[in-house]
Amino acid sequence: MSNSGADREATLGELTFRLSAEELRRMGEGRIARATAQLDQLGATGGARTIDGFLDPLNRLLTEVRDLSAHGSFLFAVHPEEATRSAGRDVSEAADRFFNSYRVNEVAYRALSDLDFTGADPTCRFAVWKMLRDMRRAGVEKDAASRTRLLALNNEIDRVSNEFTENIAASRRTIEVLERSSLVGLPEDYLRSHPAAPDGRVRLTTDYPDFQPVMTYCDDADVRRRLLMEFANRAYPENLPVLKRLLALRHEFATSLGYASYAAYALEDKMMRTPEAAETFLARVGTLTRAAAIADTERLLVRKRKDHPESTRIENWDIGLFADGYYGAKIRTERFGVDMKQLRAYLPYGQVRAGLFELCGQLFGLRFDRNTSVELWHSTVEAYDVLRDGRRIGRFYLDMTPREGKYNHAACFGVREGLQGIQLPQSALVCNFLDPSGDPETARMEYGDVVTFFHEFGHLLHAMLSGHVRWLYNSQSLIEWDFVEAPSQLFEEWARDPATLRRFARDPDTGEGIPIDLLERMKASESFGRPSRWARQVALSEASLQFYLGDPEGSDPSKILRDSYDRHTPIPLDPAYHPEASWGHLTGYSAFYYTYVWSLAIARDLLRPFEETGTLADPDLARRYAQEILSPGSERPAKELVEAFLQREFNFDAFERWVQASPFEPTAGA
């Protein structure tokens, strides 16, 4: 690779992935010391506070520290060596301490307040407005003693949040199955990748490539029950006191600033604005889903009674807790002719990835070139350069295989903030789709994992296309957090689109493409189980809000979650389950897990222009969507971005029709 300026912009510079733990800590200390000195120097400089003389150098030094925070946090989540993960956590926390201190820096606050905006455009003014708002929300206008306490609280919140996350990553549970006959129903490729040990036992883990197929296909209810028990209790009991400590710290922080609760603080800078608005929205969606979710459950019970006539209820392990699960798959096969195991044959990872890349080329004019010269953190990871019109605009990484100590969900991590004239954006998809014992190119994916792949890639596209704004506070990562899921939820629709699936859904062993009639049956069955899935999301959203809504002293997070779940879903949550202990969103998303429901309501409205054209593959519309929604990052409020694309105010009509849709006639049985 050449050493041109463009190439240098697209590297991580001194923050490489192969630094030792000691080198990483030393690099972090040096960068923070340099940024601290630069900030002090900026504050001490007299004269007018101009964009070029004050805001631009401040923007650069804040970006350097933000990159350090992201880099450390990322290595904490993915590095195979425990010592380096620990160093990544330390570096991330040190960078966060810098930002916490910066936000209560009176000198910087006064300088920003006095900034001369001569020649500034609206995006610059909006960036500075957000900077000042965040400093006020950190307590910069409080007295010295209050600022000191607020700073200490913020630093401790970061530390406890990382402890909560680390416990989840370390919690990999297993069960052993004594007889191969207990695995009847699972796909052949799954069984081949899980050979019995010499004593005849088969070991199953709570990693997603093990867990999801068992919950969907395994005929032995006891195997499903046992594995779900382990999955639902990851990081339990060790994370319950950590969670309570986090709730208490955040409550003290918010009330010290004069807010009634941490929820009130957390929602103030979101699209929703207030907990009351969120509660009203969730109640509205809960009303929409309740009756249809009950009808779904009744159909599941009718189907279960065909196997077990004595059954009086659907159990958590019959639905997989957070998905359709075993009996949902049975109904899809028997009622709609959609065999989820059959789908696996057409979804090898390599072809799904290639089809996704081709789609992005058609829609957005992007090309993804594999880069094998980059030093990476693990041999299973791939790096890709993103090109548009032959010019590199960013880089991303795919880390798709589970391993010990790795983040065990699915997410898009920001690795480096992209800013105009400074550096190109870099992000990573960290997922757990692929069985580490096989060839990743031919490893079959669950269809639900394909949808998740598209979802996370939607985040990545947002980061790549928006990573060319001038100001850090206009970046995509600083947009209202309850909007951030809308682009990714919209991009899921391409994974559900038959025309898109036909691009890559092909059995590599036979060369057979996915049958058209199977795609049509899939489309016909798509709405089955939807009200139940979103009723569960409403329950989780309400619980996260309740965790942070009042004084946590004496409250029981486990009971709050069970009560919310039982209020909104027809199937009670087993009291022996403690999913709150492994609910990683409780750190970052805190009180606003409702983001997924709210963003989806927006995404369904954003989809309407595509549906009106009769195709999701209209490149002109896709590029206008990219121009109005993705590329601006947070140069304007999210509401304005949405209205610019829709050319009207958004509404919930499309979402309400979608969430209530059913493939069953009102009088039809299961």
Side-chain angles (χ1 to χ4, degrees):
M1 185 175 289
S2 71
N3 291 319
S4 69
D7 286 334
R8 286 195 300 273
E9 275 192 334
T11 68
L12 283 170
E14 61 186 4
L15 292 176
T16 70
F17 297 121
R18 302 303 291 271
L19 293 173
S20 69
E22 182 182 349
E23 290 170 332
L24 181 58
R25 285 193 175 93
R26 187 167 61 247
M27 194 73 69
E29 290 171 0
R31 181 168 286 206
I32 289 173
R34 185 166 64 248
T36 301
Q38 290 172 341
L39 183 61
D40 290 344
Q41 184 178 2
L42 274 176
T45 302
R49 305 298 191 175
T50 65
I51 292 174
D52 290 340
F54 182 81
L55 184 61
D56 188 65
L58 178 63
N59 186 56
R60 288 174 179 270
L61 78 86
L62 292 179
T63 300
E64 281 204 358
V65 182
R66 186 172 180 87
D67 284 347
L68 179 68
S69 176
H71 194 74
S73 180
F74 180 61
L75 293 182
F76 174 46
V78 302
H79 204 279
E81 296 175 4
E82 183 178 359
T84 305
R85 291 198 302 273
S86 178
R89 171 180 170 171
D90 292 345
V91 165
S92 174
E93 289 181 2
D96 290 344
R97 287 194 296 271
F98 171 90
F99 269 104
N100 292 338
S101 179
Y102 155 74
R103 292 188 188 101
V104 293
N105 186 312
E106 286 184 294
V107 174
Y109 181 68
R110 285 197 301 270
L112 279 171
S113 300
D114 295 339
L115 194 68
D116 179 359
F117 281 107
T118 300
D121 63 14
T123 66
C124 176
R125 292 176 180 272
F126 187 51
V128 174
W129 177 84
K130 286 194 289 183
M131 295 170 80
L132 291 169
R133 177 202 64 191
D134 286 1
M135 295 176 86
R136 286 192 295 272
R137 282 168 47 81
V140 70
E141 293 181 340
K142 298 288 186 180
D143 60 77
S146 297
R147 291 199 309 274
T148 299
R149 178 56 184 161
L150 288 165
L151 177 58
L153 284 169
N154 244 336
N155 290 337
E156 183 66 3
I157 287 168
D158 290 337
R159 188 196 66 77
V160 174
S161 295
N162 281 337
E163 181 181 353
F164 189 82
T165 300
E166 189 171 35
N167 287 341
I168 297 172
S171 182
R172 186 178 193 250
R173 297 191 174 204
T174 64
I175 66 169
E176 289 186 340
V177 178
L178 302 182
E179 303 289 342
R180 297 285 294 184
S181 60
S182 296
L183 301 178
V184 169
L186 283 157
E188 285 300 319
D189 66 289
Y190 183 95
L191 295 173
R192 286 194 300 270
S193 66
H194 291 75
D199 62 1
R201 298 171 185 258
V202 178
R203 183 169 174 265
L204 304 175
T205 76
T206 52
D207 290 342
Y208 283 102
D210 278 7
F211 174 74
Q212 298 287 17
V214 168
M215 301 311 299
T216 305
Y217 307 122
C218 185
D219 290 339
D220 191 322
D222 192 57
V223 172
R224 300 197 309 268
R225 179 191 64 79
R226 291 168 55 210
L227 190 58
L228 180 58
M229 180 66 74
E230 298 303 321
F231 183 86
N233 284 303
R234 292 169 299 149
Y236 172 79
E238 59 269 26
N239 252 354
L240 287 193
V242 181
L243 175 58
K244 290 180 179 180
R245 176 69 174 150
L246 179 62
L247 298 179
L249 287 166
R250 282 177 160 166
H251 181 72
E252 182 183 350
F253 177 80
T255 54
S256 296
L257 286 166
Y259 294 87
S261 66
Y262 187 78
Y265 171 83
L267 270 63
E268 182 186 46
D269 62 346
K270 310 301 183 294
M271 293 183 76
M272 194 67 74
R273 301 299 181 211
T274 68
E276 292 77 18
E279 289 178 311
T280 299
F281 171 70
L282 291 173
R284 179 179 179 181
V285 180
T287 300
L288 291 173
T289 59
R290 188 171 295 114
I294 291 171
D296 281 346
T297 304
E298 290 172 348
R299 293 186 180 98
L300 293 172
L301 182 57
V302 169
R303 174 58 189 85
K304 182 179 180 180
R305 283 175 175 157
K306 292 181 180 179
D307 298 339
H308 304 282
E310 75 286 358
S311 296
T312 60
R313 65 180 186 180
I314 289 293
E315 305 287 357
N316 294 138
W317 53 89
D318 294 329
I319 61 167
L321 194 59
F322 300 122
D324 287 344
Y326 182 76
Y327 284 107
K330 289 290 187 185
I331 290 176
R332 287 188 188 278
T333 300
E334 297 165 3
R335 179 66 184 264
F336 301 101
V338 178
D339 185 344
M340 304 306 285
K341 283 187 290 187
Q342 182 187 4
L343 274 176
R344 283 173 62 99
Y346 299 99
L347 298 172
Y349 168 69
Q351 288 177 197
V352 173
R353 181 192 58 208
L356 174 55
F357 287 4
E358 180 186 347
L359 174 69
C360 291
Q362 178 180 344
L363 294 178
F364 306 115
L366 302 177
R367 193 179 86 221
F368 307 130
D369 287 354
R370 176 84 181 269
N371 188 325
T372 58
S373 66
V374 182
E375 284 194 341
L376 301 169
W377 57 95
H378 195 268
S379 60
T380 60
V381 179
E382 297 177 329
Y384 290 89
D385 288 333
V386 184
L387 291 90
R388 183 170 55 189
D389 299 326
R391 182 175 62 87
R392 188 202 318 270
I393 65 167
R395 178 176 294 163
F396 66 85
Y397 309 90
L398 300 180
D399 186 345
M400 313 298 268
T401 304
R403 58 181 173 272
E404 186 176 355
K406 177 188 167 184
Y407 176 81
N408 55 18
H409 195 50
C412 179
F413 282 75
V415 177
R416 195 177 191 187
E417 205 74 59
L419 291 178
Q420 182 186 105
I422 298 178
Q423 60 196 29
L424 299 180
Q426 299 191 54
S427 295
L429 293 196
V430 181
C431 305
N432 292 275
F433 299 144
L434 309 179
D435 190 320
S437 66
D439 178 3
E441 293 300 303
T442 59
R444 291 339 193 237
M445 297 182 71
E446 288 294 313
Y447 175 65
D449 286 343
V450 174
V451 175
T452 300
F453 190 8
F454 273 66
H455 174 99
E456 300 303 344
F457 212 85
H459 284 303
L460 190 148
L461 287 170
H462 199 179
M464 293 295 105
L465 293 175
S466 68
H468 308 277
V469 297
R470 180 175 179 185
W471 306 109
L472 173 63
Y473 272 73
N474 287 149
S475 66
Q476 171 259 346
S477 60
L478 287 163
I479 202 166
E480 295 99 313
W481 267 34
D482 52 0
F483 172 75
V484 75
E485 296 294 338
S488 55
Q489 287 174 317
L490 175 63
F491 201 62
E492 288 179 19
E493 292 306 309
W494 275 266
R496 299 187 179 100
D497 176 46
T500 301
L501 284 171
R502 291 184 65 191
R503 294 170 173 267
F504 56 78
R506 181 174 299 278
D507 187 334
D509 297 331
T510 65
E512 176 192 6
I514 189 169
I516 295 176
D517 63 332
L518 176 57
L519 292 174
E520 291 173 347
R521 294 195 301 272
M522 282 180 58
K523 195 69 176 175
S525 71
E526 188 180 273
S527 59
F528 170 61
R530 184 183 294 156
S532 296
R533 289 192 296 276
W534 287 98
R536 289 191 283 270
Q537 286 293 86
V538 169
L540 293 169
S541 299
E542 181 184 272
S544 87
L545 192 62
Q546 291 296 322
F547 286 167
Y548 287 104
L549 198 52
D551 187 343
E553 180 66 30
S555 69
D556 181 353
S558 301
K559 185 177 186 302
I560 290 172
L561 178 58
R562 284 198 306 272
D563 288 350
S564 181
Y565 203 89
D566 297 350
R567 186 161 43 251
H568 289 284
T569 71
I571 303 171
L573 188 66
D574 191 323
Y577 297 164
H578 293 88
E580 69 279 3
S582 58
W583 191 1
H585 293 83
L586 291 178
T587 58
Y589 280 71
S590 66
F592 48 94
Y593 186 79
Y594 73 81
T595 291
Y596 285 94
V597 189
W598 172 258
S599 288
L600 179 66
I602 296 171
R604 296 308 306 177
D605 209 20
L606 294 176
L607 181 64
R608 289 170 70 178
F610 289 95
E611 292 177 329
E612 288 165 1
T613 68
T615 175
L616 300 189
D618 183 330
D620 293 333
L621 183 58
R623 292 180 196 193
R624 189 169 75 79
Y625 163 75
Q627 178 182 344
E628 300 290 0
I629 299 289
L630 303 181
S631 296
S634 62
E635 289 185 327
R636 289 180 289 165
K639 183 176 184 291
E640 293 183 15
L641 302 179
V642 172
E643 291 173 357
F645 175 66
L646 294 176
Q647 299 180 335
R648 58 169 172 78
E649 291 188 356
F650 72 89
N651 62 62
F652 302 122
D653 296 347
F655 171 72
E656 291 184 354
R657 289 194 300 271
W658 178 86
V659 81
Q660 290 185 300
S662 171
F664 298 97
E665 294 298 325
T667 58

